[in-house]
Each structure stands twice: as C-alpha cells, then as structure tokens.
C-alpha cells in the first residue's frame, strides 16, 4: 500500500513539473503565439485562464496587477496577467 502511495505521489509531482515546463497555468496552456500586449477584460481572463469571475475580479483589484481602465471596463495585458499568475499572492489564497 505504501509503495502504491509513493508511486502516485511521484506521478503527480512529475505531472506538475511537466505542466510547468509546457507553460500551463490553471487548465490553459500559455503559448507565445498569442499577443502578449492584447488587453483582456474580466470575462476574457476567466475564459483564457480557466478561473471564476469572483477570483478574476479579486485579482483586478490587487494593486500589483497593472489594470487599465477604459470607460467603465477594466482591462489587463495578457503578458502582465501571465506574470501575475506565476507569482504567489497571499491575499488571493483560499482558506
């Protein structure tokens, strides 16, 4: 039983390493083919990065994320969002 647990743990660790190497964030693979300077709104961030609207709105309120305001809509550069997600933010951690 312990051997099976260890095998599963090693497989999960290896899968996580592989995902990081391939450039996955959440459930989405980040590629350099997309324009890193394209501005995304909350709905686009949710769709592209596989997160809920509440989490995206919470991120948009964080002063560390360089959000730009256009009329009433807030937008963020795709490249800035990727860099933001790659770093740890204590205020966004779930309880």
């Amino acid at each position: 039983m312990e051997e099976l647990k260890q095998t599963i743990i090693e497989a999960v660790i290896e899968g996580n390493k592989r995902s990081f190497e391939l450039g996955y964030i959440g459930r989405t693979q980040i590629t350099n083919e997309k324009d890193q300077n394209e501005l995304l709104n909350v709905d686009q961030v949710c769709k592209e990065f596989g997160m809920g609207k509440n989490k995206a709105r919470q991120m948009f309120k964080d002063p560390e994320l360089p959000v730009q305001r256009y009329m009433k809509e807030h937008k963020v550069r795709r490249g800035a969002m990727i860099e933001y997600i790659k770093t740890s933010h204590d205020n966004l951690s779930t309880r």
Side-chain angles (χ1 to χ4, degrees):
M1 190 60 142
E2 285 300 316
E3 187 177 313
L4 178 60
K5 282 183 181 179
Q6 188 62 32
T7 304
I8 292 171
I9 290 170
E10 289 173 3
V12 169
I13 291 171
E14 187 61 36
N16 288 342
K17 286 180 184 176
R18 184 76 177 130
S19 292
F20 183 74
E21 290 169 2
L22 292 174
Y24 280 90
I25 295 178
R27 294 172 283 188
T28 306
Q29 183 175 13
I30 305 303
T31 64
N32 290 330
E33 296 171 7
K34 295 183 179 179
D35 181 13
Q36 300 298 304
N37 292 319
E38 181 180 356
L39 293 171
L40 305 174
N41 62 25
V42 171
D43 292 330
Q44 292 167 321
V45 166
C46 293
K47 184 177 178 183
E48 186 163 329
F49 296 99
M51 66 178 68
K53 280 190 178 183
N54 288 336
K55 182 60 78 176
R57 287 185 184 123
Q58 189 178 7
M59 289 178 171
F60 271 52
K61 290 179 183 177
D62 189 346
E64 293 181 32
L65 183 64
V67 175
Q68 302 169 23
R69 184 172 178 184
Y70 293 94
M71 301 297 277
K72 290 186 177 183
E73 189 171 43
H74 291 78
K75 296 186 176 190
V76 65
R77 282 181 38 263
R78 178 181 282 117
M81 191 68 193
I82 293 169
E83 290 304 314
Y84 180 81
I85 290 174
K86 286 181 181 179
T87 59
S88 175
H89 299 278
D90 294 336
N91 59 332
L92 295 176
S93 61
T94 57
R95 298 174 194 188

